[in-house]
Amino acid sequence: MEIRQLKYFNSIIKHNSFTEAAEDFGISQSGISQQIKSLEKELGVKLFERQNRKFIMTEAGHYLYRKTMVLLNDIEVITRNVSKIGKSSGSSFSIGYLKSYAGFELQKAINKYTQKYPNVNLNVKSGYHDELCEEIKNDRVDIILCDKRWVSSKDFVNYQIKDVETYVVVSENSKISKLKTVDIEDLKDFPIILIASKNQQDKEQVYFKNTIGFKGVFLFVDNIQEGMILASANQGILPLAGNINLNISYSVKRIPLIKKGKSLIQKYYAFWKKDNSGYYIEAFAEILKREFNKK
């Protein structure tokens, strides 16, 4: 059984015609018919029942068609990836991540990835939720690290990275800085610092108020550094998810955030388009997941 015979077979089903399938491959109708007869002979079964000028698939034909659809797709992906690996000197892809991401896992993943694939050029950019959504939809980035708030379509791979705990960053001078955990209900009288662009502030406020449950006044900053400065000045509470990489010069502490007695969890995913899936993107996603899940 040869791959070309399976391709011929699938093309016949696709077009519902031996003639059009033959045209697809630039061979004669008799030539493609002979290949199918040879395939049937090798398998010892009939794939088609011929009725005058028409044909229908047998049960065996239906089974082979379902299986070869997956097989031929896998072969196409393997072929494409082998070609990419062989031409790796010219390969590149871009990564987008949330501006509110404060961990060090991405940095470590990039470092390990570039060591393993030194000929692949990485481009990295940060953005807010809506920005990352537009970037990947319009093919300006190949993969994004984002929380599950970004609901992708069936056209995207949803690769779960990790469920991460949420913390609040507070000044060492804050009256809650000595707590081991802090319940979200206890923060209703504290200003909440959110990282958002001007055109996204309303969405962020609605999300953190209605979904997360914060009830205080909201302050907005453009990036984590500004948020850290406000928190260190005891002007508000900065919620961040993940293994936060704190700069000791900020004079702040991180405290696990709980809601109704349970840790508040954010689900982090890597997203990329299914039709852009390839060896280098998937390899990076795997390395990123390993870094997030290291103890």
Side-chain angles (χ1 to χ4, degrees), residues 185-201:
E185 288 293 325
D186 297 330
L187 297 176
K188 59 185 178 181
D189 296 325
F190 290 85
I192 306 301
I193 304 166
L194 298 182
I195 301 165
S197 60
K198 288 184 179 180
N199 60 7
Q200 200 178 14
Q201 289 179 4

Side-chain angles (χ1 to χ4, degrees), residues 2-266:
E2 300 178 7
I3 292 175
R4 64 170 180 162
Q5 291 174 325
L6 299 179
K7 288 182 177 180
Y8 294 160
F9 172 72
N10 276 42
S11 184
I12 292 168
I13 305 305
K14 175 184 175 182
H15 294 293
N16 195 33
S17 167
F18 277 75
T19 302
E20 292 185 30
E23 290 175 355
D24 260 359
F25 294 96
I27 63 175
S28 65
Q29 181 179 340
S30 61
I32 203 168
S33 296
Q34 188 60 44
Q35 288 295 326
I36 296 302
K37 287 179 181 179
S38 177
L39 179 60
E40 289 178 324
K41 183 178 179 180
E42 181 180 351
L43 294 174
V45 297
K46 288 288 185 181
L47 299 174
F48 298 108
E49 291 290 348
R50 294 165 179 82
Q51 300 174 348
N52 298 324
R53 294 185 177 182
K54 297 182 179 181
F55 63 86
I56 58 173
M57 274 192 293
T58 63
E59 185 176 349
H62 277 289
Y63 177 82
L64 182 64
Y65 180 62
R66 290 195 303 271
K67 293 298 182 180
T68 54
M69 284 182 66
V70 177
L71 175 63
L72 292 176
N73 182 70
D74 287 345
I75 290 172
E76 182 180 342
V77 171
I78 291 169
T79 302
R80 184 169 65 246
N81 288 340
V82 168
S83 178
K84 284 185 178 180
I85 294 169
K87 301 174 182 177
S88 60
S89 59
S91 296
S92 65
F93 75 91
S94 54
I95 304 163
Y97 69 95
L98 281 174
K99 284 193 173 183
S100 58
Y101 166 74
F104 48 77
E105 298 90 352
L106 177 61
Q107 180 182 343
K108 287 189 173 183
I110 290 173
N111 181 263
K112 290 194 174 182
Y113 187 85
T114 52
Q115 288 180 14
K116 188 172 183 179
Y117 305 103
N119 293 321
V120 179
N121 299 314
L122 293 185
N123 299 305
V124 184
K125 61 173 67 177
S126 62
Y128 305 105
H129 281 86
D130 287 356
E131 290 175 346
L132 291 180
C133 178
E134 290 302 310
E135 291 288 304
I136 197 166
K137 282 183 177 179
N138 292 294
D139 299 316
R140 291 191 290 267
V141 295
D142 297 300
I143 185 172
I144 60 174
L145 174 64
C146 196
D147 59 41
K148 192 56 177 174
R149 196 185 342 168
W150 188 76
V151 180
S152 70
S153 72
K154 62 182 181 180
D155 297 326
F156 287 81
V157 175
N158 296 250
Y159 187 79
Q160 186 170 5
I161 299 295
K162 191 180 181 182
D163 292 351
V164 297
E165 292 183 337
T166 301
Y167 297 83
V168 288
V169 177
V170 301
S171 168
E172 290 181 343
N173 299 321
S174 171
K175 62 182 181 180
I176 64 173
S177 64
K178 301 298 188 289
L179 298 176
K180 291 184 178 180
T181 62
V182 59
D183 193 291
I184 202 166
E185 288 293 325
D186 297 330
L187 297 176
K188 59 185 178 181
D189 296 325
F190 290 85
I192 306 301
I193 304 166
L194 298 182
I195 301 165
S197 60
K198 288 184 179 180
N199 60 7
Q200 200 178 14
Q201 289 179 4
D202 290 342
K203 285 186 178 180
E204 289 295 287
Q205 181 168 319
V206 168
Y207 174 76
F208 277 89
K209 184 176 181 179
N210 296 343
T211 303
I212 302 299
F214 286 110
K215 298 178 180 178
V217 174
F218 292 98
L219 306 176
F220 294 96
V221 295
D222 290 328
N223 52 60
I224 289 177
Q225 287 72 25
E226 290 182 20
M228 290 286 191
I229 291 172
L230 284 185
S232 66
N234 204 13
Q235 294 185 31
I237 306 295
L238 176 65
L240 293 173
N243 197 357
I244 303 166
N245 187 17
L246 291 181
N247 186 327
I248 58 174
S249 65
Y250 284 121
S251 300
V252 292
K253 289 187 175 181
R254 67 172 190 167
I255 304 172
L257 183 62
I258 61 175
K259 185 177 182 180
K260 297 180 179 179
K262 296 182 179 180
S263 297
L264 190 62
I265 299 297
Q266 292 274 33

Side-chain angles (χ1 to χ4, degrees), residues 246-291:
L246 291 181
N247 186 327
I248 58 174
S249 65
Y250 284 121
S251 300
V252 292
K253 289 187 175 181
R254 67 172 190 167
I255 304 172
L257 183 62
I258 61 175
K259 185 177 182 180
K260 297 180 179 179
K262 296 182 179 180
S263 297
L264 190 62
I265 299 297
Q266 292 274 33
K267 296 180 180 291
Y268 267 77
Y269 282 73
F271 299 98
W272 65 89
K273 282 186 175 180
K274 288 181 179 178
D275 62 9
N276 191 34
S277 186
Y279 178 78
Y280 289 117
I281 292 177
E282 292 172 5
F284 177 77
E286 290 175 5
I287 292 173
L288 183 62
K289 184 170 185 175
R290 286 200 297 270
E291 288 302 319

